[in-house]
Amino acid sequence: MNHILLKGGRVIDPKANRDGVFDILIKDDVIAAIDRDITPPDSKTTVVDCRDKLVTPGLIDTHGHVYQGVTGRFGLNADMCGVYSGVTTIVDQGGASCITLPGFRQYVIEPSKTRVLSYMSAYLVGGLEGHFYPELYRPDCLDVEATVTAAKKNSDIVRGLKAHAEVGGFARWGVDVMRIASQIGREAALPVYIHFGQLWPKPEDGGSPVNPDSIFNQVVDMLKPGDILAHPFSRHPGGFVEVNGSIHPMVKEAIARGLKIDVGHGSHFSFKTARIVLDAGVIPDTLGADMHGYNTIVPPPAGTPNWHPDESVHIFKGNERFSLVSAMSSMLAVGLPLNHVVAMVTSNAAKLAGLEDEIGTLKVGGVADVSVMEDQRGRWALHDNEGTQVITDRMLFPVCCYRAGERFDSNATILPVAKAA
């Protein structure tokens, strides 16, 4: 029997309505007690000083790209983005397809210390090389029956579907791809996570003219409650903010219909767009890092492209390092309250993963997934890929996490280094 006592941290657990200084006792892989002052149960108990630190349910990244080795340069190592970055659960967005899902289970999910789940791609090719080849994502490359069958037969790991609604695809195929993807979601009884904001350049020959502001409402009309609209703070056209700089008039209607919003941070993130969306009263539900091999500094696998064709259009490759925890700091910098930011990556994220009864909260008898962070005051400069700088007086830094009671220090080489202002 192994006891770990996390002592004196500020525990924030939105689902349990808990915010205060508490101790947490872990016994093996479960939480044994949560109280104001817990005495170590025996002399062998490992006592961890968490004073002046933030302690939360294990962080859940709702937007990962971790099909390493199969999605080319796009897929990162799950544990690098996960437990070694202070994150206990990652939802991979669209890496695996109905064809490649068995490999995702065997070669990523099973060997990873991080809990890894799948929002399976609606496309047969999955997230192949970060959508380097647009024609592989045409309507003929979706198979409703095969994808629904794979999702139902692998319901323990497949928690939703991933599709794209963006300018380059609409110029090529109109709404057909999204119509098929939404059908898959209905037949599989799973949420569909939709990328908004330009991903592919328009075709050089042929294609239809597309008004970027027409995409959002066309897609929303196809969706069901619980489906997820991604990248509300994107700097690219075709999403939550119209070309004229105003919030799309359909956004609040979408929320009223029961659709959810995820901040897939990534290199799409724009402080200016965030300001427009938040000032309109639109508050995202969840937060994903959206890290991948084109916006995170890692050595590219041999033979993969060293650039992405979208770079010439909107600098798809990121210049600023980020992680899930640093994305939390960005949310604080734009004015979201800490308790909501924590909910975005715990209780709300657990609902997106369909595991709200298992993770996303700290409860006696529940799995010991816990994240520990520094909550520092000072003066730091945050930047996005548009070159916008925001000064913040508060930064979160991952210290460690416990995944089913096992400790992992936050020592991933990809973690960003804060820049003093």
Side-chain angles (χ1 to χ4, degrees):
M1 188 176 298
N2 181 40
H3 285 106
I4 300 168
L5 181 59
L6 307 182
K7 196 78 177 166
R10 180 185 177 185
V11 177
I12 298 183
D13 182 354
K15 184 173 182 178
N17 196 29
R18 181 179 286 116
D19 184 353
V21 176
F22 290 90
D23 296 349
I24 299 174
L25 179 63
I26 297 172
K27 183 174 71 173
D28 295 330
D29 60 352
V30 301
I31 294 174
I34 305 171
D35 212 332
R36 294 285 182 182
D37 190 9
I38 299 175
T39 301
D42 56 45
S43 61
K44 295 182 180 179
T45 299
T46 300
V47 179
V48 181
D49 185 359
C50 292
R51 288 174 297 176
D52 300 321
K53 293 182 175 61
L54 182 61
V55 180
T56 70
L59 301 182
I60 303 167
D61 188 341
T62 57
H63 195 136
H65 294 288
V66 294
Y67 203 165
Q68 188 180 25
V70 170
T71 55
R73 185 173 169 183
F74 210 60
L76 301 175
N77 179 267
D79 287 338
M80 178 180 66
C81 302
V83 290
Y84 294 114
S85 293
V87 175
T88 58
T89 298
I90 291 180
V91 181
D92 181 84
Q93 287 292 345
S97 72
C98 61
I99 296 173
T100 63
L101 186 66
F104 189 65
R105 180 191 290 275
Q106 182 174 351
Y107 298 114
V108 176
I109 292 177
E110 292 179 356
S112 296
K113 295 292 187 178
T114 310
R115 179 189 291 102
V116 179
L117 303 167
S118 174
Y119 260 50
M120 189 172 62
S121 178
Y123 313 91
L124 294 173
V125 295
L128 187 64
E129 196 51 68
H131 320 296
F132 193 96
Y133 308 98
E135 292 307 318
L136 294 178
Y137 297 86
R138 64 187 186 274
D140 290 345
C141 292
L142 286 79
D143 186 324
V144 173
E145 182 179 0
T147 304
V148 170
T149 298
K152 289 183 174 180
K153 294 291 186 180
N154 295 274
S155 59
D156 59 325
I157 59 173
V158 178
R159 315 309 296 180
L161 289 309
K162 174 72 181 293
H164 303 88
E166 56 80 53
V167 174
F170 268 58
R172 290 170 172 82
W173 316 299
V175 300
D176 289 349
V177 168
M178 272 310 310
R179 185 178 291 115
I180 298 169
S182 62
Q183 180 185 350
I184 294 171
R186 288 192 300 272
E187 293 190 16
L190 289 172
V192 181
Y193 184 105
I194 303 102
H195 169 109
F196 285 99
Q198 186 167 3
L199 180 67
W200 294 302
K202 294 179 181 179
E204 294 182 3
D205 298 315
S208 303
V210 177
N211 175 5
D213 297 338
S214 72
I215 293 175
F216 193 89
N217 51 291
Q218 291 183 73
V219 173
V220 166
D221 281 340
M222 301 179 189
L223 302 179
K224 63 185 184 301
D227 286 346
I228 300 142
L229 313 176
H231 306 303
F233 302 155
S234 174
R235 58 197 169 96
H236 307 318
F240 282 64
V241 173
E242 295 187 302
V243 173
N244 64 11
S246 301
I247 189 80
H248 196 290
M250 194 69 177
V251 172
K252 291 189 176 181
E253 172 65 20
I255 296 170
R257 293 184 187 186
L259 300 176
K260 301 299 181 181
I261 301 173
D262 180 76
V263 180
H265 187 285
S267 48
H268 312 278
F269 176 77
S270 162
F271 281 113
K272 292 178 181 178
T273 304
R275 188 76 277 137
I276 294 169
V277 174
L278 294 173
D279 286 350
V282 176
I283 308 298
D285 301 284
T286 53
L287 171 64
D290 190 12
M291 300 169 67
H292 52 70
Y294 283 99
N295 63 27
T296 303
I297 302 172
V298 294
T304 56
N306 59 10
W307 66 283
H308 196 285
D310 294 350
E311 288 179 14
S312 61
V313 180
H314 52 59
I315 320 177
F316 185 81
K317 181 178 179 179
N319 298 312
E320 295 294 329
R321 283 195 180 195
F322 60 93
S323 68
L324 183 62
V325 174
S326 71
M328 293 171 67
S329 296
S330 293
M331 296 303 100
L332 295 173
V334 296
L336 292 178
L338 177 61
N339 277 63
H340 181 71
V341 173
V342 172
M344 292 170 79
V345 292
T346 59
S347 53
N348 291 359
K351 291 179 183 178
L352 179 145
L355 293 175
E356 59 267 40
D357 295 330
E358 299 179 35
I359 59 176
T361 189
L362 302 169
K363 59 183 179 181
V364 175
V367 63
D369 282 6
V370 186
S371 292
V372 181
M373 290 167 276
E374 297 277 2
D375 183 4
Q376 294 188 9
R377 302 300 188 276
R379 185 176 171 84
W380 294 273
L382 302 178
H383 299 84
D384 61 22
N385 280 295
E386 287 181 315
T388 301
Q389 175 177 287
V390 170
I391 303 299
T392 183
D393 61 1
R394 188 176 200 175
M395 285 288 289
L396 303 178
F397 300 92
V399 174
C400 66
C401 69
Y402 293 84
R403 167 71 183 100
E406 182 178 359
R407 177 174 173 138
F408 298 89
D409 291 329
S410 301
N411 54 18
T413 57
I414 59 170
L415 289 172
V417 177
K419 301 173 183 176

